[in-house]
CSV table of all heavy atoms in Angstrom, one decimal:
chain,number,residue,atom,x,y,z
A,41,MET,N,86.1,93.3,93.7
A,41,MET,CA,87.4,93.4,94.4
A,41,MET,C,88.5,93.5,93.4
A,41,MET,O,89.5,94.2,93.7
A,41,MET,CB,87.6,92.2,95.3
A,41,MET,CG,86.6,92.2,96.5
A,41,MET,SD,86.7,93.7,97.5
A,41,MET,CE,88.2,93.2,98.5
A,42,GLU,N,88.4,92.9,92.2
A,42,GLU,CA,89.4,93.0,91.2
A,42,GLU,C,89.5,94.4,90.7
A,42,GLU,O,90.5,95.0,90.5
A,42,GLU,CB,89.2,92.0,90.0
A,42,GLU,CG,89.5,90.6,90.4
A,42,GLU,CD,89.0,89.6,89.3
A,42,GLU,OE1,88.0,89.9,88.6
A,42,GLU,OE2,89.5,88.5,89.3
A,43,ILE,N,88.3,95.0,90.5
A,43,ILE,CA,88.2,96.4,90.0
A,43,ILE,C,88.8,97.3,91.1
A,43,ILE,O,89.5,98.3,90.8
A,43,ILE,CB,86.8,96.8,89.6
A,43,ILE,CG1,86.5,96.1,88.3
A,43,ILE,CG2,86.6,98.3,89.5
A,43,ILE,CD1,85.1,96.2,87.8
A,44,MET,N,88.5,97.0,92.4
A,44,MET,CA,89.1,97.8,93.4
A,44,MET,C,90.6,97.8,93.4
A,44,MET,O,91.3,98.8,93.6
A,44,MET,CB,88.5,97.3,94.8
A,44,MET,CG,88.8,98.3,95.9
A,44,MET,SD,88.0,97.7,97.5
A,44,MET,CE,86.3,97.9,97.0
A,45,LEU,N,91.2,96.6,93.2
A,45,LEU,CA,92.6,96.5,93.1
A,45,LEU,C,93.2,97.3,91.9
A,45,LEU,O,94.2,98.0,92.0
A,45,LEU,CB,93.0,95.0,93.0
A,45,LEU,CG,94.4,94.6,93.2
A,45,LEU,CD1,94.9,95.0,94.6
A,45,LEU,CD2,94.6,93.1,93.0
A,46,GLN,N,92.5,97.1,90.8
A,46,GLN,CA,92.9,97.9,89.6
A,46,GLN,C,92.8,99.4,89.8
A,46,GLN,O,93.7,100.2,89.3
A,46,GLN,CB,92.1,97.5,88.4
A,46,GLN,CG,92.3,96.1,87.9
A,46,GLN,CD,91.3,95.7,86.8
A,46,GLN,OE1,90.9,96.6,86.0
A,46,GLN,NE2,91.0,94.5,86.7
A,47,SER,N,91.8,99.8,90.6
A,47,SER,CA,91.7,101.2,90.9
A,47,SER,C,92.8,101.8,91.7
A,47,SER,O,93.2,102.9,91.5
A,47,SER,CB,90.3,101.5,91.6
A,47,SER,OG,89.3,101.2,90.8
A,48,VAL,N,93.3,101.0,92.6
A,48,VAL,CA,94.5,101.4,93.4
A,48,VAL,C,95.7,101.7,92.4
A,48,VAL,O,96.3,102.7,92.5
A,48,VAL,CB,94.9,100.4,94.5
A,48,VAL,CG1,96.2,100.7,95.1
A,48,VAL,CG2,93.8,100.3,95.5
A,49,ALA,N,95.9,100.8,91.5
A,49,ALA,CA,97.0,100.9,90.5
A,49,ALA,C,96.7,102.1,89.6
A,49,ALA,O,97.6,102.9,89.3
A,49,ALA,CB,97.2,99.6,89.8
A,50,ALA,N,95.5,102.2,89.1
A,50,ALA,CA,95.2,103.3,88.2
A,50,ALA,C,95.4,104.7,88.9
A,50,ALA,O,95.9,105.6,88.2
A,50,ALA,CB,93.8,103.2,87.7
A,51,CYS,N,95.0,104.8,90.1
A,51,CYS,CA,95.1,106.1,90.8
A,51,CYS,C,96.6,106.5,90.9
A,51,CYS,O,97.0,107.6,90.6
A,51,CYS,CB,94.5,105.9,92.2
A,51,CYS,SG,94.7,107.3,93.3
A,52,SER,N,97.4,105.5,91.3
A,52,SER,CA,98.9,105.8,91.5
A,52,SER,C,99.5,105.9,90.1
A,52,SER,O,100.5,106.7,90.0
A,52,SER,CB,99.5,104.6,92.3
A,52,SER,OG,100.9,104.9,92.5
A,53,PHE,N,99.1,105.2,89.1
A,53,PHE,CA,99.6,105.3,87.8
A,53,PHE,C,99.5,106.8,87.3
A,53,PHE,O,100.4,107.4,86.8
A,53,PHE,CB,98.8,104.4,86.8
A,53,PHE,CG,99.4,104.2,85.5
A,53,PHE,CD1,99.9,103.0,85.1
A,53,PHE,CD2,99.4,105.2,84.5
A,53,PHE,CE1,100.5,102.7,83.9
A,53,PHE,CE2,99.9,105.0,83.3
A,53,PHE,CZ,100.5,103.8,82.9
A,71,GLN,N,104.1,100.6,83.3
A,71,GLN,CA,103.2,99.5,83.6
A,71,GLN,C,103.3,99.3,85.1
A,71,GLN,O,104.3,99.5,85.7
A,71,GLN,CB,103.6,98.2,82.9
A,71,GLN,CG,103.5,98.2,81.4
A,71,GLN,CD,103.7,96.9,80.8
A,71,GLN,OE1,103.4,95.9,81.4
A,71,GLN,NE2,104.3,96.9,79.6
A,72,ILE,N,102.1,98.9,85.7
A,72,ILE,CA,102.1,98.5,87.1
A,72,ILE,C,101.4,97.2,87.2
A,72,ILE,O,100.3,97.0,86.7
A,72,ILE,CB,101.2,99.5,87.9
A,72,ILE,CG1,101.8,100.9,87.9
A,72,ILE,CG2,101.2,99.1,89.4
A,72,ILE,CD1,101.0,102.0,88.6
A,73,ASP,N,102.1,96.2,87.7
A,73,ASP,CA,101.6,94.9,88.1
A,73,ASP,C,101.2,95.1,89.6
A,73,ASP,O,102.0,95.6,90.4
A,73,ASP,CB,102.6,93.8,87.9
A,73,ASP,CG,103.0,93.6,86.5
A,73,ASP,OD1,102.0,93.5,85.6
A,73,ASP,OD2,104.1,93.4,86.1
A,74,ILE,N,100.0,94.6,89.9
A,74,ILE,CA,99.5,94.7,91.3
A,74,ILE,C,99.0,93.4,91.7
A,74,ILE,O,98.3,92.7,91.0
A,74,ILE,CB,98.5,95.9,91.4
A,74,ILE,CG1,98.0,96.1,92.8
A,74,ILE,CG2,97.3,95.6,90.5
A,74,ILE,CD1,97.2,97.3,93.1
A,75,GLU,N,99.3,93.1,93.0
A,75,GLU,CA,98.9,91.8,93.5
A,75,GLU,C,98.3,92.1,94.9
A,75,GLU,O,99.0,92.8,95.7
A,75,GLU,CB,100.1,90.8,93.6
A,75,GLU,CG,99.6,89.4,94.1
A,75,GLU,CD,100.8,88.4,94.0
A,75,GLU,OE1,101.7,88.6,93.2
A,75,GLU,OE2,100.7,87.4,94.7
A,76,GLY,N,97.2,91.6,95.2
A,76,GLY,CA,96.6,91.7,96.5
A,76,GLY,C,96.3,90.4,97.1
A,76,GLY,O,95.8,89.5,96.4
A,77,GLU,N,96.5,90.3,98.4
A,77,GLU,CA,96.2,89.1,99.1
A,77,GLU,C,95.1,89.5,100.1
A,77,GLU,O,95.2,90.5,100.8
A,77,GLU,CB,97.4,88.6,99.9
A,77,GLU,CG,97.1,87.3,100.6
A,77,GLU,CD,98.3,86.8,101.4
A,77,GLU,OE1,99.4,87.3,101.3
A,77,GLU,OE2,98.2,85.8,102.2
A,86,PHE,N,91.4,93.2,101.7
A,86,PHE,CA,92.8,93.1,101.3
A,86,PHE,C,93.7,93.2,102.6
A,86,PHE,O,93.5,94.1,103.4
A,86,PHE,CB,93.2,94.1,100.3
A,86,PHE,CG,92.7,93.8,99.0
A,86,PHE,CD1,91.6,94.6,98.5
A,86,PHE,CD2,93.2,92.8,98.2
A,86,PHE,CE1,91.1,94.4,97.2
A,86,PHE,CE2,92.7,92.6,96.9
A,86,PHE,CZ,91.6,93.3,96.4
A,88,THR,N,97.3,92.5,102.1
A,88,THR,CA,98.5,93.1,101.5
A,88,THR,C,98.3,93.4,100.1
A,88,THR,O,97.5,92.8,99.4
A,88,THR,CB,99.7,92.1,101.6
A,88,THR,OG1,99.4,90.9,100.8
A,88,THR,CG2,100.1,91.7,103.0
A,89,ILE,N,98.9,94.5,99.6
A,89,ILE,CA,98.8,94.9,98.2
A,89,ILE,C,100.3,95.3,97.9
A,89,ILE,O,100.9,96.1,98.5
A,89,ILE,CB,97.9,96.1,98.0
A,89,ILE,CG1,96.5,95.7,98.4
A,89,ILE,CG2,98.0,96.7,96.6
A,89,ILE,CD1,95.5,96.9,98.4
A,90,VAL,N,100.8,94.8,96.8
A,90,VAL,CA,102.1,95.1,96.3
A,90,VAL,C,102.0,95.6,94.8
A,90,VAL,O,101.4,94.9,94.0
A,90,VAL,CB,103.1,93.9,96.3
A,90,VAL,CG1,104.4,94.3,95.8
A,90,VAL,CG2,103.2,93.3,97.7
A,91,LEU,N,102.5,96.8,94.6
A,91,LEU,CA,102.5,97.4,93.3
A,91,LEU,C,103.9,97.3,92.7
A,91,LEU,O,104.8,97.8,93.4
A,91,LEU,CB,102.0,98.8,93.3
A,91,LEU,CG,100.6,99.1,93.8
A,91,LEU,CD1,100.6,99.5,95.2
A,91,LEU,CD2,100.0,100.2,92.9
A,92,LYS,N,104.1,96.8,91.5
A,92,LYS,CA,105.4,96.8,90.9
A,92,LYS,C,105.3,97.7,89.7
A,92,LYS,O,104.7,97.4,88.7
A,92,LYS,CB,105.8,95.4,90.5
A,92,LYS,CG,107.2,95.4,89.9
A,92,LYS,CD,107.7,94.1,89.5
A,92,LYS,CE,109.1,94.3,88.9
A,92,LYS,NZ,109.7,93.1,88.3
A,93,TYR,N,106.0,98.8,89.7
A,93,TYR,CA,106.1,99.8,88.7
A,93,TYR,C,107.3,99.5,87.8
A,93,TYR,O,108.4,99.4,88.2
A,93,TYR,CB,106.3,101.2,89.2
A,93,TYR,CG,105.3,101.7,90.2
A,93,TYR,CD1,105.2,101.2,91.5
A,93,TYR,CD2,104.3,102.7,89.8
A,93,TYR,CE1,104.2,101.6,92.4
A,93,TYR,CE2,103.4,103.2,90.7
A,93,TYR,CZ,103.3,102.6,92.0
A,93,TYR,OH,102.4,103.1,92.9
A,94,THR,N,107.0,99.5,86.5
A,94,THR,CA,108.1,99.3,85.5
A,94,THR,C,108.0,100.4,84.5
A,94,THR,O,107.0,100.5,83.7
A,94,THR,CB,108.0,97.9,84.8
A,94,THR,OG1,107.9,96.9,85.7
A,94,THR,CG2,109.1,97.7,83.8
A,113,GLN,N,102.3,107.5,96.5
A,113,GLN,CA,101.9,106.6,97.6
A,113,GLN,C,101.8,107.3,99.0
A,113,GLN,O,100.9,106.9,99.8
A,113,GLN,CB,102.9,105.4,97.8
A,113,GLN,CG,102.8,104.4,96.7
A,113,GLN,CD,101.4,103.8,96.6
A,113,GLN,OE1,100.9,103.3,97.7
A,113,GLN,NE2,100.8,103.7,95.5
A,117,CYS,N,97.8,109.6,96.2
A,117,CYS,CA,96.9,108.6,95.9
A,117,CYS,C,95.9,108.2,97.0
A,117,CYS,O,96.2,107.5,97.9
A,117,CYS,CB,97.6,107.3,95.4
A,117,CYS,SG,96.5,106.0,94.9
A,119,ALA,N,93.3,106.3,96.7
A,119,ALA,CA,92.9,104.8,96.7
A,119,ALA,C,93.9,104.0,97.6
A,119,ALA,O,93.5,103.2,98.4
A,119,ALA,CB,92.8,104.3,95.3
A,120,SER,N,95.2,104.3,97.4
A,120,SER,CA,96.2,103.6,98.3
A,120,SER,C,96.0,103.9,99.7
A,120,SER,O,96.0,103.0,100.6
A,120,SER,CB,97.6,103.9,97.8
A,120,SER,OG,97.9,103.4,96.6
A,123,MET,N,93.1,102.1,101.3
A,123,MET,CA,93.4,100.7,101.6
A,123,MET,C,94.2,100.6,102.9
A,123,MET,O,94.0,99.7,103.7
A,123,MET,CB,94.1,100.0,100.4
A,123,MET,CG,93.3,99.8,99.2
A,123,MET,SD,92.0,98.6,99.6
A,123,MET,CE,91.3,98.5,97.9
A,129,ASP,N,98.4,96.4,104.2
A,129,ASP,CA,99.8,96.8,104.0
A,129,ASP,C,100.1,97.0,102.6
A,129,ASP,O,100.1,96.1,101.8
A,129,ASP,CB,100.7,95.7,104.6
A,129,ASP,CG,102.2,96.0,104.4
A,129,ASP,OD1,102.6,97.1,104.3
A,129,ASP,OD2,103.0,95.0,104.3
A,130,VAL,N,100.3,98.3,102.2
A,130,VAL,CA,100.5,98.6,100.8
A,130,VAL,C,102.0,98.9,100.6
A,130,VAL,O,102.5,99.8,101.2
A,130,VAL,CB,99.6,99.8,100.3
A,130,VAL,CG1,99.8,100.2,98.9
A,130,VAL,CG2,98.1,99.6,100.6
A,131,SER,N,102.6,98.2,99.6
A,131,SER,CA,104.0,98.4,99.4
A,131,SER,C,104.3,98.5,97.9
A,131,SER,O,103.3,98.2,97.1
A,131,SER,CB,104.9,97.3,100.0
A,131,SER,OG,104.5,96.1,99.5
A,132,PHE,N,105.5,98.8,97.5
A,132,PHE,CA,105.8,98.9,96.1
A,132,PHE,C,107.2,98.5,95.8
A,132,PHE,O,108.1,98.5,96.6
A,132,PHE,CB,105.5,100.3,95.5
A,132,PHE,CG,106.4,101.4,96.1
A,132,PHE,CD1,107.6,101.7,95.5
A,132,PHE,CD2,106.0,102.1,97.2
A,132,PHE,CE1,108.4,102.7,96.0
A,132,PHE,CE2,106.8,103.2,97.7
A,132,PHE,CZ,108.0,103.4,97.1
A,133,GLU,N,107.4,98.2,94.5
A,133,GLU,CA,108.7,97.9,94.0
A,133,GLU,C,108.8,98.7,92.7
A,133,GLU,O,107.8,99.0,92.0
A,133,GLU,CB,108.9,96.4,93.6
A,133,GLU,CG,108.6,95.5,94.8
A,133,GLU,CD,108.5,94.0,94.4
A,133,GLU,OE1,108.7,93.7,93.2
A,133,GLU,OE2,108.2,93.2,95.2
Side-chain angles (χ1 to χ4, degrees):
M41 293 301 281
E42 289 169 337
I43 289 175
M44 193 174 292
L45 193 62
Q46 290 175 32
S47 294
V48 170
C51 179
S52 185
F53 191 110
Q71 295 187 33
I72 300 176
D73 292 316
I74 185 167
E75 187 172 335
E77 183 181 352
F86 287 108
T88 61
I89 296 173
V90 180
L91 297 99
K92 182 178 180 190
Y93 300 74
T94 304
Q113 287 299 311
C117 182
S120 289
M123 290 296 186
D129 176 26
V130 181
S131 62
F132 65 88
E133 302 168 7

